[in-house]
Amino acid sequence: MKVLGIESSCDETGVAVYDTSVGGSAGLRAHAVYSQIDLHAQYGGVVPELASRDHVRKLLPLIRQTLDEAGLGVADIDGVAYTAGPGLVGALLVGAAVGRSLAWALEVPALAVHHMEGHLLAPLLEDDAPAPPFVALLVSGGHTQLIAVEAIGRYRLLGETLDDAAGEAFDKTAKMMGLPYPGGPQLAKLAESGTPGAFRFSRPMTDRPGLDFSFSGLKTQVLLAWRDSDQGGQTRADIARGFEDAVVDTLAIKCERALDAAESDTLIVAGGVGANKRLRARLTELCERRGGRACFPRPALCTDNGAMIAFAGALRLAAGQRDDAAIRAAPRWDMATLPAL
Ligand code: KG4
Ligand code: ZN
């Protein structure tokens, strides 16, 4: 089954084709992402109305380009999967309207995909993927969650952030130190030349039991350190390193607890912050020490993309799930309400 996937929940237009008859990473016949970063950079964050309008401009050309790259015509598509939420409602509506209408015109089934399930399943698109049960760490710009994955579609929330998401903390901290939007990857790059231990920030909520996170206090600590510093180049790198180490350490401590709680040694990691090199190294080492493993999507599939939506939708469509003719856009949508596969 060849499934066209469409992602338009925020500031990236993503399109992909996933072929379930091939499976594994080779099943990804083509994928393309158009990022709106340049459009929003001057405002220091995503402007929802501009995002929607740009999806309108970019989506159809991107679908044509992706089909060309896959060597397929539109009539070869057996199903359409689109992100229905959570996300910005106007942005979601673009992908939903195009995806659902295309499926209607082609007389093929459509499936409304949960964006976070897309992220969560992305590591399973890679070769040699583990099978559930396992623990998933979802770390994006909007979410920080630890989830016990009992089966595909059966998700039990173990813990989540009480305030900022990990990616949001990266972005806000970067902005505070004068780095351009979106700051997360830039802050991580800067941290590479920082001296470990030069600045030490707290590991929030690790001194008490539980699997929830809080990153907003950490951001304030960094702000105070930055204000009190000489704000020179090396200091900036040192602070970035101190911040990154605090986030990575905190995530690793909670992942270890979650693995203990779920009696598992397999961790899958997804979402934009999953592209962070130090986090990948740290979690890989943690799982290996336990005799298990940590699995990540390739960095390009950590941040928003169409491949994860095509893949998640393909798994559900191949299992016989179908949506009705409604165009679905759900800005808020609890992943625990998803049906099991
Ligand atoms: O999953 P994603 O593309 O979008 C959401 O669904 O939110 O995640 C984007 C987030 C941003 O906050 C970005 O700064 C962060 O992921 N991010 C990173 C890195 N690459 C992306 N944070 C830390 N290190 C990175 N290398
Ligand atoms: Zn995302």
Side-chain angles (χ1 to χ4, degrees), residues 115 119 140 304 308:
H115 181 82
H119 275 303
S140 71
D304 288 350
M308 67 187 197

Side-chain angles (χ1 to χ4, degrees), residues 45 192 212 261 267 277:
E192 281 173 27
D212 287 334
L267 179 71
K277 280 189 207 146

Side-chain angles (χ1 to χ4, degrees), residues 51 79 106 121 124 134 181 189 201 225 267 283 310 327 337:
L106 295 172
L121 297 178
L124 306 189
F134 44 65
Y181 161 87
K189 180 117 197 45
F201 302 111
L267 179 71
L283 296 178
I327 292 170
T337 64

Side-chain angles (χ1 to χ4, degrees), residues 9-12 115-116 119 139-143 166-168 170-171 182-185 188 244 271-277 302-304:
S9 66
C10 190
D11 58 348
E12 258 107 25
H115 181 82
M116 296 313 291
H119 275 303
V139 269
S140 71
H143 291 76
E168 191 180 0
F170 262 95
D171 294 339
E244 185 183 58
V273 185
N276 185 276
K277 280 189 207 146
C302 283
T303 45
D304 288 350

Side-chain angles (χ1 to χ4, degrees), residues 2 9 34 50 55 72 95-96 136 144 152 157 197 220 227 256 263 286 319 323 332 339:
K2 289 182 272 302
S9 66
Y34 174 80
L50 295 182
H55 286 305
L72 299 171
T144 301
I152 292 174
L157 185 66
T220 312
R227 277 202 192 140
E256 176 125 56
E263 295 179 10
L286 183 157
D323 280 346
R332 288 174 177 274

Side-chain angles (χ1 to χ4, degrees), residues 9-61:
S9 66
C10 190
D11 58 348
E12 258 107 25
T13 318
V15 177
V17 178
Y18 191 82
D19 187 346
T20 55
S21 62
V22 180
S25 64
L28 184 59
R29 294 277 298 263
H31 87 105
V33 177
Y34 174 80
S35 171
Q36 303 179 352
I37 283 177
D38 294 343
L39 179 70
H40 301 291
Q42 56 176 311
Y43 305 102
V46 179
V47 183
E49 183 58 23
L50 295 182
S52 317
R53 287 166 190 241
D54 211 41
H55 286 305
V56 170
R57 275 190 289 269
K58 299 300 179 343
L59 185 52
L60 289 177

